[in-house]
Amino acid sequence: MKRFFSVNDITDLHTTIKEAIALKKAPQQNNHLGKGKTIGLVFLNSSLRTRLSTQKAAQNLGLHTIILNANQEAWTWEFEDGAIMNGNTVEHVKDAANVLSQYCDIIGIRCFAGLTNKEEDVSEKVYKLFEKHAKVPVVSLESATLHPFQSLADCITIEEHLPKNKKPKVVLTWAPHIKPIPHAVGNSFAQWINASDYEFVITHPKGYELDTEFTKNTTIEYNQEKALENADFVYVKNWSSFKEYGKVIPVEEDWLLTNDKLKESNNAKIMHCLPVRRNIEITDEVLDSENALVYQQANNRTYAAQIILQKILENNE
């Protein structure tokens, strides 16, 4: 394994999930793999779980960790090839990526969607330019369109709570928010669940359809309560409009997830990537219930990152 950007970089998803779960019993069993090696974690955007879980995963493998908050601590990057840099940008991404490759054996980079230029975001311009110029394996800590470590952690969490003797029904439901939110978590969850053998439904108001590049032929249900019927897992997440790119389209219906809406579910487990706007996306009563898996998801972020970093280190032994 030489990179990690999406589910397509996983050879066998089911096996990878099982291997990640096994790591929880002895997290430091392979700490020899990272001895004398360094991972650089580059953040162009804010982070809590991604930053700390990936750092912990690296430490479990014996890796030294360097964290760079690039937007605050580095020179401003230029992303245009052939640019005459007589403006606000100070260092070209090709120079930054090359230099970081001399200090690090693996690099992780986090670069959100800007939500202003659809073509640029969908093309993954920032991530792909960085990966192009890096000389070591690069892993995504969330990009403009995908959040693979989060989705692997989600798959691990679902695997650990599967209902007995039935194919689970997994529902991804849109939720309200106070500002435009990128599509990466929704896209990525759809991509990974589509790679699993689950019944999968996405529910959202009309106008909030995700990119079909990731949803494929997933069933779309515009009636949230109907979608929640017999659900075993309900993943709650907001995203802005993809068609009217980055816009917040007014919604008349109430999409806040409440216990009352979950009555027709199969005592569904509740998931969210965090951070969550309590009582805007999900009520306190749902988030604080015994069916909420949000903290288990956060814990599994460590093992999702660790199994991927382990495979990269093994490939480069």
Side-chain angles (χ1 to χ4, degrees), residues 127-249:
Y127 183 89
K128 287 185 177 179
L129 273 173
F130 188 90
E131 186 178 49
K132 174 184 176 181
H133 295 296
K135 308 302 181 186
V136 297
V138 176
V139 298
S140 172
L141 306 177
E142 186 173 354
S143 68
T145 64
L146 295 171
H147 196 350
F149 278 140
Q150 179 64 57
S151 297
L152 178 51
D154 298 337
C155 290
I156 293 167
T157 307
I158 291 173
E159 179 69 24
E160 291 178 317
H161 294 86
L162 285 175
K164 294 181 179 179
N165 303 318
K166 74 180 292 283
K167 185 176 183 178
K169 179 181 179 181
V170 180
V171 176
L172 170 62
T173 180
W174 182 90
H177 207 283
I178 65 169
K179 63 179 183 179
I181 298 294
H183 309 90
V185 172
N187 286 343
S188 198
F189 186 72
Q191 184 188 57
W192 286 69
I193 296 301
N194 278 328
S196 308
D197 186 28
Y198 304 146
E199 180 184 353
F200 184 39
V201 176
I202 301 176
T203 183
H204 54 71
K206 290 183 178 179
Y208 280 97
E209 291 78 8
L210 289 165
D211 189 347
T212 55
E213 172 70 22
F214 305 109
T215 60
K216 301 297 183 184
N217 296 318
T218 303
T219 299
I220 307 298
E221 174 55 64
Y222 297 113
N223 183 319
Q224 185 189 38
E225 293 187 22
K226 182 178 179 181
L228 295 175
E229 291 176 3
N230 300 314
D232 297 291
F233 297 91
V234 178
Y235 199 111
V236 184
K237 188 69 180 83
N238 173 266
W239 56 85
S240 55
S241 174
F242 181 69
K243 184 177 181 180
E244 296 185 41
Y245 195 65
K247 305 293 185 183
V248 175
I249 303 172

Side-chain angles (χ1 to χ4, degrees), residues 246-257:
K247 305 293 185 183
V248 175
I249 303 172
V251 174
E252 295 182 2
E253 302 89 350
D254 178 12
W255 283 77
L256 171 68
L257 190 67

Side-chain angles (χ1 to χ4, degrees), residues 42 44-45 109-113 124 126-127 141-145:
V42 180
L44 277 70
N45 303 97
I109 182 168
R110 184 177 182 95
C111 47
F112 288 176
E124 290 286 3
V126 174
Y127 183 89
L141 306 177
E142 186 173 354
S143 68
T145 64

